[in-house]
Amino acid sequence: RLLREMRMNRQQTEFLATISHELKTPIATLDLTSSLLRSGGLSDEETARLWDSHEKELKRLREDVETLLQ
């Protein structure tokens, strides 16, 4: 029984570490792209690329959260 509980505890820790990483990555990217967009002084092409990245990471974050909630 103790081994089973230890294994479950390890699995929970690994799961939380993975989820934490998967959520923090798109948030960090969104933070960076928001800062760059806010700073201005970018070409139209750079702005479009940053918006594309922003939207991609937002979609990824939504999907990850939806998956967790299911």
Side-chain angles (χ1 to χ4, degrees):
R1 177 185 159 159
L2 179 60
L3 288 175
R4 185 176 57 196
E5 287 181 23
M6 289 173 59
R7 187 177 25 219
M8 189 177 352
N9 188 30
R10 182 174 33 96
Q11 288 173 337
Q12 283 179 321
T13 301
E14 290 171 2
F15 174 78
L16 290 175
T18 300
I19 294 305
S20 176
H21 173 75
E22 290 300 318
L23 293 176
K24 286 181 179 181
T25 300
I27 291 171
T29 302
L30 289 167
D31 188 38
L32 177 62
T33 57
S34 294
S35 295
L36 290 170
L37 288 164
R38 192 178 311 114
S39 71
L42 302 170
S43 70
D44 290 343
E45 184 180 320
E46 290 170 323
T47 300
R49 259 198 328 258
L50 285 173
W51 275 117
D52 287 344
S53 174
H54 196 84
E55 290 170 350
K56 177 183 172 189
E57 291 301 324
L58 188 56
K59 179 182 178 195
R60 176 180 166 195
L61 184 58
R62 279 189 196 118
E63 290 171 353
D64 287 347
V65 169
E66 185 63 33
T67 299
L68 284 172
L69 294 175
Q70 289 177 0

